[in-house]
């Protein structure tokens, strides 16, 4: 288990690490942010790491963005929220792009860029499985012949979730990826419904896929406020604010269209102790999500004279998932029994020092309307777990082990090797299971290997952090049967669950949607494909070199990089 203390050797290694990460000179007004890991890729279709998503969102832009203060979608590239109308059973969402919006080369962002993007998100030969599941409700796009900036999305429903999600994807530049406009004749409905026929009729799709795969994603032009100027893998990544970013021409630009820091330097420092040393020495300005132990220790120390400490309830939940297709875990009673072997209050204290809060399911308790407060919180109860195992058909042998159909109840629980909190959870479960006669093997895994094995269904149980948001509920990628092989790592297949997920995504009435969400939470507790241990509180430690306006936010990455800026009185 990773130790929270360090000695002389770690200190020496930390100093070496600081020398490496500060080998590039700092700009006087740069903001320096600690990352624990490298983003690995900046490909919008492949990126899953929070670090990668953060940078991509600073380089590129979408029609709408989620505002953490109002907890609503707001216009970004779009001039306003879409105008909603109906055509028979279909919903039409008409957007107009901001006249100021341009690409890096000065060309305007137009409706054809949006059409091109939607075709890329459905293009055969590209890793678009998640995108197809997430945005499959967009059936077609219609361009306005009289206005190059206006278009209409043809959708299945006009629910608030779908309206918001209809603009929540990065817009790609057609001029860079498809300068000849070869995808313009390709009908989006054909791409969505019959990719084989689309490829046969339009060979340009294969050429586009090849061109996209062979183009360096970090060279892709964007319409965001920053440009990538340096990236030394596993050392640092640097973004420079564009001197002529289009949003500066927007009159009375809202907060989300303002970029304060002239330069953002992300310093990759894997070791927590080394990162804390860098913060104290003034080598970094912002330390997101330090360990809860160190956060609490420092904010009750003399360091408060030099540091800001910020906390915000988040939508990041730590969950334990069960592979429901594994023979030992196919019975919901077995999964419910195993859920009772997690000492959640003890884990909240051990891993988060109390900086977390509990939930009955995936819905955040702050959503008072949708949260099913009639359900009991998961309880640590080994005795009740034994009773459920018997109901599931398991028989306890004289030596204390459990058997069914000639097979012993023995499981592996996997987690990211670098996450000490997940390790604590796995080891607590292992110890509780051992007392009940269940053999559990804790299996730390490399992040990439863990994801591959989860997709293939090669893991019994896993500990994982999931990132939610307050803007919409789309459970299709993670719990719908169509999400298997994408992000449905539990391999949960349930007809009633599929019906509820589909109904939630299209329901327009707020009260009816809340009732559906409450029913879904009841189903999840009965079927137990996963158990939510807790929602974390985002933690930030900031140097007083930054403006005191720095705040922790409820959504990833836990702060608003656009609002960071050096304190005018402390600029170097």
């Amino acid at each position: 288990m990773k130790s929270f203390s360090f000695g002389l050797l770690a200190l020496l290694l930390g100093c070496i690490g600081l020398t490496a990460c500060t080998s590039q000179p700092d700009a006087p007004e740069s903001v320096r942010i600690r990352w624990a890991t490298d983003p690995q890729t900046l490909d919008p279709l492949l990126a899953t790491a929070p670090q990668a998503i953060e940078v991509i969102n600073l380089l590129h832009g979408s029609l709408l963005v989620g505002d953490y203060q109002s907890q609503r979608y707001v216009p970004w590239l779009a001039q306003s929220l879409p105008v909603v109308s109906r055509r028979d059973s279909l919903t039409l969402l008409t957007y107009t792009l901001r006249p100021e919006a341009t690409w890096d080369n000065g060309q305007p962002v137009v409706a054809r860029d949006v059409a091109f993007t939607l075709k890329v998100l459905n293009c055969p030969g590209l890793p678009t499985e998640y995108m197809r599941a997430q945005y499959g409700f967009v059936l077609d796009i219609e361009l306005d012949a009289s206005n190059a900036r206006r278009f209409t999305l043809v959708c299945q429903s006009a629910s608030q979730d779908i309206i918001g999600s209809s603009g929540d994807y990065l817009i790609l530049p057609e001029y860079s990826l498809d300068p000849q406009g070869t995808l313009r004749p390709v009908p989006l409905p054909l791409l969505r419904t019959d990719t084989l026929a689309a490829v046969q009729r339009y060979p340009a799709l294969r050429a586009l896929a090849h061109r996209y795969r062979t183009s360096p994603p970090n060279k892709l032009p964007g319409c965001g406020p920053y440009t990538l100027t340096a990236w030394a893998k596993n050392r640092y990544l640097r973004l420079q604010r564009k001197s002529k970013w289009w949003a500066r021409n927007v009159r009375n630009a809202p907060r989300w269209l303002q970029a304060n820091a002239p330069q953002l330097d992300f310093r990759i420092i894997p070791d927590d102790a080394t990162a804390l040393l860098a913060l104290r020495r003034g080598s970094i300005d912002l330390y997101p999500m330090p360990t809860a132990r160190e956060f609490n220790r420092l904010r009750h120390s003399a360091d408060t004279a030099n540091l800001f400490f910020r906390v915000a309830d988040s939508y990041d939940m730590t969950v334990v998932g069960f592979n429901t297709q594994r023979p030992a875990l196919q019975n919901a009673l077995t999964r419910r029994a195993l859920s009772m072997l997690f000492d959640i209050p003890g884990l909240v204290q051990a891993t988060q020092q109390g900086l977390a809060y509990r939930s009955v399911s995936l819905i955040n308790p702050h959503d008072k309307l949708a949260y099913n407060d009639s359900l009991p919180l998961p309880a640590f109860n080994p005795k009740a777990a034994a009773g459920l195992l018997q109901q599931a058909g398991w028989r306890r042998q004289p030596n204390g082990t459990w058997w069914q159909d000639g097979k012993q109840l023995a499981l592996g629980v996997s987690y990211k090797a670098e996450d000490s909190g997940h390790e604590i959870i796995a080891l607590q479960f292992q110890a509780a299971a051992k007392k009940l006669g269940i053999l559990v093997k804790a299996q730390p895994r490399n992040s990439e290997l863990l994801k591959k094995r989860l997709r293939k269904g090669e893991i019994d149980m896993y500990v994982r952090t999931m990132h939610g948001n307050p803007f919409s509920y789309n459970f299709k990628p993670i719990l719908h049967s169509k999400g298997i092989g994408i992000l449905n790592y539990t391999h949960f297949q349930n007809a009633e669950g599929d019906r509820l997920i589909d109904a939630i995504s299209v329901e327009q009435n707020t009260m009816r949607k809340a009732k559906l969400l409450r029913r879904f939470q009841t189903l999840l507790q009965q079927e137990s494909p996963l158990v939510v241990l807790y929602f974390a509180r985002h933690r930030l430690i900031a140097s007083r070199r930054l403006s005191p306006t720095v705040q922790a936010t409820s959504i990833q990455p836990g702060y608003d990089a656009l609002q960071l800026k050096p304190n005018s009185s402390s600029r170097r």
Side-chain angles (χ1 to χ4, degrees):
M1 186 180 300
K2 187 182 292 184
S3 172
F4 291 101
S5 62
F6 60 98
L8 179 60
L9 177 60
L11 181 60
L12 291 172
L13 290 173
C15 293
I16 294 171
L18 287 176
T19 301
C21 75
T22 58
S23 59
Q24 293 288 317
D26 292 331
E29 295 188 334
S30 67
V31 173
R32 301 157 302 171
I33 303 168
R34 184 262 184 160
W35 275 349
T37 59
D38 191 270
Q40 300 302 321
T41 180
L42 296 182
D43 186 336
L45 298 183
L46 290 175
T48 57
Q51 295 84 0
I53 294 170
E54 178 179 3
V55 170
I56 290 170
N57 285 333
L58 294 168
L59 299 175
H60 303 278
S62 52
L63 301 173
L64 309 175
V65 295
D67 175 39
Y68 57 88
Q69 287 189 358
S70 65
Q71 298 195 346
R72 296 179 181 276
Y73 281 104
V74 293
W76 205 85
L77 278 173
Q79 202 164 24
S80 64
L81 294 176
V83 175
V84 182
S85 59
R86 303 285 295 180
R87 180 190 296 160
D88 299 324
S89 63
L90 299 174
T91 295
L92 306 181
L93 304 178
T94 299
Y95 280 96
T96 302
L97 297 170
R98 293 184 186 272
E100 303 89 352
T102 59
W103 297 106
D104 289 347
N105 68 349
Q107 288 190 29
V109 181
V110 295
R112 286 201 179 278
D113 293 306
V114 181
F116 171 73
T117 299
L118 288 170
K119 292 172 185 179
V120 171
L121 298 187
N122 289 273
C123 184
L126 292 177
T128 60
E129 295 84 2
Y130 170 76
M131 300 296 185
R132 292 171 70 93
Q134 184 78 358
Y135 305 109
F137 58 83
V138 179
L139 306 179
D140 200 1
I141 181 170
E142 299 172 352
L143 307 186
D144 189 329
S146 64
N147 186 340
R149 295 182 180 271
R150 185 177 297 134
F151 61 92
T152 297
L153 300 179
V154 181
C155 302
Q156 293 173 327
S157 167
S159 74
Q160 287 302 310
D161 287 356
I162 281 182
I163 292 173
S165 297
S166 71
D168 187 22
Y169 45 86
L170 301 177
I171 304 304
L172 302 173
E174 183 191 48
Y175 82 88
S176 174
L177 290 169
D178 190 21
Q180 304 302 317
T182 60
L183 258 59
R184 292 183 183 182
V186 181
L188 180 61
L190 179 64
L191 266 179
R192 290 185 63 260
T193 57
D194 194 340
T195 54
L196 181 60
V199 170
Q200 290 174 343
R201 287 174 55 186
Y202 300 97
L205 289 166
R206 291 190 187 275
L208 184 282
H210 175 74
R211 198 158 55 244
Y212 185 96
R213 290 194 306 267
T214 54
S215 300
N218 52 317
K219 301 292 185 182
L220 183 66
C223 55
Y226 289 90
T227 186
L228 178 68
T229 58
W231 183 9
K233 286 288 185 78
N234 298 311
R235 293 179 59 212
Y236 62 86
L237 184 147
R238 178 165 296 150
L239 301 180
Q240 187 73 36
R241 188 177 61 192
K242 296 173 183 175
S243 60
K244 297 181 179 180
W245 185 42
W246 60 266
R248 292 189 174 190
N249 299 320
V250 176
R251 182 177 298 180
N252 299 320
R255 169 175 39 80
W256 48 88
L257 284 178
Q258 299 177 33
N260 287 317
Q263 183 170 291
L264 295 172
D265 283 316
F266 298 95
R267 305 296 175 82
I268 300 161
I269 311 175
D271 182 70
D272 293 333
T274 306
L276 283 171
L277 182 60
L279 181 68
R280 288 170 134 169
R281 289 178 52 173
S283 299
I284 60 174
D285 302 310
L286 189 69
Y287 187 167
M289 286 305 283
T291 64
R293 184 188 298 267
E294 290 298 338
F295 181 84
N296 282 337
R297 182 180 68 80
L298 285 176
R299 71 172 171 171
H300 295 107
S301 73
D303 278 327
T304 54
N306 301 311
L307 303 171
F308 294 113
F309 297 83
R310 302 287 190 256
V311 178
D313 287 355
S314 83
Y315 290 82
D316 295 354
M317 65 198 97
T318 297
V319 305
V320 174
F322 303 98
N323 184 345
T324 61
Q325 298 306 303
R326 303 289 262 194
L329 297 171
Q330 289 180 354
N331 193 318
L333 292 173
T334 301
R335 301 192 294 269
R336 285 165 55 188
L338 296 172
S339 298
M340 293 179 173
L341 300 182
F342 291 96
D343 178 9
I344 299 178
L347 290 171
V348 167
Q349 189 58 36
T351 65
Q352 304 297 311
Q353 298 282 293
L355 291 169
Y357 53 106
R358 299 185 60 187
S359 175
V360 300
S361 191
L362 298 171
I363 306 298
N364 192 293
H366 291 318
D367 188 342
K368 302 297 185 184
L369 191 61
Y371 181 69
N372 195 338
D373 53 4
S374 67
L375 295 174
L377 289 167
F380 179 63
N381 194 335
K383 183 177 179 181
L388 285 177
L389 288 175
Q390 289 181 333
Q391 291 181 44
W394 295 96
R395 295 294 173 257
R396 198 166 193 179
Q397 304 304 305
N399 64 358
T401 59
W402 296 84
W403 291 74
Q404 186 180 93
D405 299 328
K407 294 185 178 180
Q408 182 182 356
L409 182 55
L411 301 163
V413 55
S414 298
Y415 55 93
K416 287 199 301 185
E418 61 270 26
D419 196 311
S420 60
H422 291 182
E423 182 180 44
I424 291 171
I425 293 166
L427 294 179
Q428 182 273 313
F429 174 74
Q430 181 187 53
K434 182 178 180 181
K435 290 181 180 179
L436 198 60
I438 303 170
L439 178 64
V440 170
K441 185 176 181 180
Q443 298 171 322
R445 309 274 188 189
N446 167 274
S447 296
E448 288 304 313
L449 176 61
L450 179 60
K451 280 192 290 188
K452 288 178 182 178
R453 300 201 66 180
L454 284 169
R455 285 196 193 100
K456 293 179 179 179
E458 297 174 346
I459 282 173
D460 295 327
M461 297 173 57
Y462 61 86
V463 185
R464 182 169 174 258
T465 297
M466 298 173 63
H467 306 294
N469 68 69
F471 311 119
S472 64
Y473 292 114
N474 182 5
F475 301 107
K476 186 167 287 188
I478 62 171
L479 285 169
H480 198 283
S481 59
K482 291 182 179 179
I484 294 174
I486 306 175
L487 290 179
N488 184 353
Y489 298 146
T490 64
H491 290 250
F492 183 56
Q493 296 187 70
N494 182 280
E496 177 62 15
D498 285 354
R499 283 193 292 270
L500 282 171
I501 290 171
D502 290 337
I504 289 166
S505 68
V506 300
E507 180 54 61
Q508 301 178 48
N509 181 276
T510 301
M511 295 304 296
R512 287 198 295 266
K513 181 186 285 287
K515 289 180 179 179
L516 290 169
L517 286 165
R518 285 174 172 255
R519 282 175 54 194
F520 187 56
Q521 292 166 80
T522 300
L523 175 73
L524 288 181
Q525 196 165 92
Q526 292 169 345
E527 294 295 324
S528 199
L530 51 77
V531 56
V532 176
L533 302 182
Y534 53 79
F535 280 81
R537 289 189 165 95
H538 278 160
R539 307 179 288 273
L540 287 182
I541 307 179
S543 163
R544 289 190 180 269
R545 180 177 169 269
L546 293 184
S547 166
T549 56
V550 60
Q551 293 293 329
T553 64
S554 61
I555 59 175
Q556 281 288 315
Y559 57 92
D560 185 353
L562 294 178
Q563 300 305 301
L564 298 176
K565 57 184 176 181
N567 192 332
S568 57
S569 64
S570 61
R571 290 175 183 170
R572 296 188 301 276

